[in-house]
Amino acid sequence: MTIAQKLSFDVQLSDHARTAAEREQVLANPGFGQVFTDHMISIDYTEGQGWHDARLMPYGPLSLDPATSVFHYAQELFEGLKAYRQVTGSIVMFRPYANAGRFNRSAARMAMPELPEETFVESLELLVETDRQWVPTTEGHSLYLRPFMIATQAGLGVNYPSKTYKYMAIASPAASYFTGGIKPVSVWLSTEYTRAAPGGTGFAKCGGNYAAAFVAQREAVEHGCDQVVWLDSGAHEYVEEMGGMNLFFVFGNKLVTPSLTGTLLPGITRDSILELAGDLGLETEERLISVDEWQSGCESGELTEVFACGTAAVITPVGSVKGADRAWTIADGTPGPVTMRVREELVGIQYGARPDTHNWVHKIV
Ligand SMILES: *Cc1c(COP(=O)(O)O)cnc(C)c1O
């Protein structure tokens, strides 16, 4: 799409928006992803015509034919990012163009149309600006943004991708992931299930990856663990991710993270930490890391901390590991100093308490 074809959004404001008192009640205890703001974004795509009917409209249910492709063949993808109220009062997003780029790389893998990056970012600006009173003022809280795209063609033919699509964005106030201090999680090494295999959709942020993961997450809980750790699909030897988050291993002054082999989701938090590390005087390395190295490193004391990272929880320390035939703890099982330092720096940039030296903060209002 050229600039001349740039979409303009039709704005239809809700006539049943919640009152200030109702909103304040939600914002006092928002939880995560349970309550949504008063508006949403919708843009339609038709093969041959491109993107059209861009609009901001009241939040509400969709009406779709039961034969709609997304229900049967899961041609769907999504993104996740946050709007923050900074210490100055400005409302900002963190690296929205990074999400726009990843959205389109996911779209290419899922045989779905790309959305111009500007349109992706503009749609979120419009939603956040309209619903700006939903951006929490409480420290550590944020407005979680969920852009997504679904295949909307009705019909059960499986040989071709849908000819029509709908892009949408919704927003939900989110509490800090950790209430009452940062608690390390326990993890289960899944050897029965894998999240992604070479040539598959592991690098794409698509719902199908999550659908296939629930059974392993349930298995982790059955083994008394909080989260599942995914290993490579071949020998179950190398560490890939933790649930829906990327992993970092701290060897003294060095951060090691599994390389992006195509089966890992390239997290924007992961990427930001790799860039920030230098500012903090830390070295970084992207390479394969095996379960054996993880265990022996903890036993020898060389591997001092492990943490997971992602937009929703920012940084989560990992305290202990359990697998079918082994179990160990990481250092003394409490959050380590490098983990907490990286977290403080990243959160500081997001909320404006620290200088945005990498130009990651995108101001909305
Ligand atoms: C979204 C996601 C992540 C984290 O990505 P961020 O951009 O840092 O939020 C990691 N792993 C999986 C499987 C994900 O879906």
Side-chain angles (χ1 to χ4, degrees), residues 56-240:
L56 174 101
M57 60 198 286
Y59 184 92
L62 304 176
S63 176
L64 291 168
D65 190 298
T68 300
S69 174
V70 63
F71 297 141
H72 305 275
Y73 307 128
Q75 210 190 351
E76 185 270 359
L77 58 89
F78 67 94
E79 268 303 325
L81 68 164
K82 285 173 169 177
Y84 306 86
R85 197 178 291 274
Q86 292 206 319
V87 288
T88 55
S90 298
I91 297 173
V92 307
M93 288 188 283
F94 185 71
R95 306 188 68 185
Y97 281 95
N99 294 90
R102 187 172 66 189
F103 187 81
N104 284 338
R105 286 188 292 279
S106 299
R109 177 62 183 85
M110 305 302 286
M112 297 170 85
E114 295 187 359
L115 183 71
E117 290 189 2
E118 270 68 34
T119 307
F120 178 95
V121 174
E122 271 173 34
S123 75
L124 300 176
E125 288 172 341
L126 178 60
L127 180 59
V128 173
E129 196 176 345
T130 308
D131 285 337
R132 61 186 172 275
Q133 282 160 323
W134 286 92
V135 182
T137 50
T138 309
E139 193 188 324
H141 292 199
S142 57
L143 186 66
Y144 183 78
L145 306 174
R146 169 53 60 86
F148 62 102
M149 184 183 358
I150 56 172
T152 53
Q153 189 172 335
L156 302 182
V158 292
N159 290 335
Y160 297 99
S162 176
K163 289 181 166 46
T164 60
Y165 297 89
K166 186 184 278 293
Y167 163 83
M168 300 194 76
I170 55 178
S172 173
S176 166
Y177 207 80
F178 296 99
T179 43
I182 295 190
K183 284 191 278 300
V185 294
S186 56
V187 298
W188 168 252
L189 301 172
S190 180
T191 41
E192 187 172 1
Y193 304 108
T194 49
R195 194 189 79 90
T201 57
F203 69 89
K205 212 165 171 73
C206 65
N209 289 342
Y210 279 74
F214 291 133
V215 67
Q217 175 59 30
R218 193 166 64 192
E219 189 188 59
V221 171
E222 281 163 8
H223 284 92
C225 297
D226 300 307
Q227 290 284 339
V228 59
V229 161
W230 302 107
L231 306 175
D232 73 280
S233 63
H236 301 305
E237 194 179 335
Y238 295 101
V239 180
E240 298 205 327

Side-chain angles (χ1 to χ4, degrees), residues 78-80 99 102 195 202 205 210 241 243-246 265-270 309-312:
F78 67 94
E79 268 303 325
N99 294 90
R102 187 172 66 189
R195 194 189 79 90
K205 212 165 171 73
Y210 279 74
E241 299 192 55
M245 301 175 84
N246 296 112
L265 195 290
I268 291 159
T269 317
R270 174 190 181 278
C309 66
T311 296

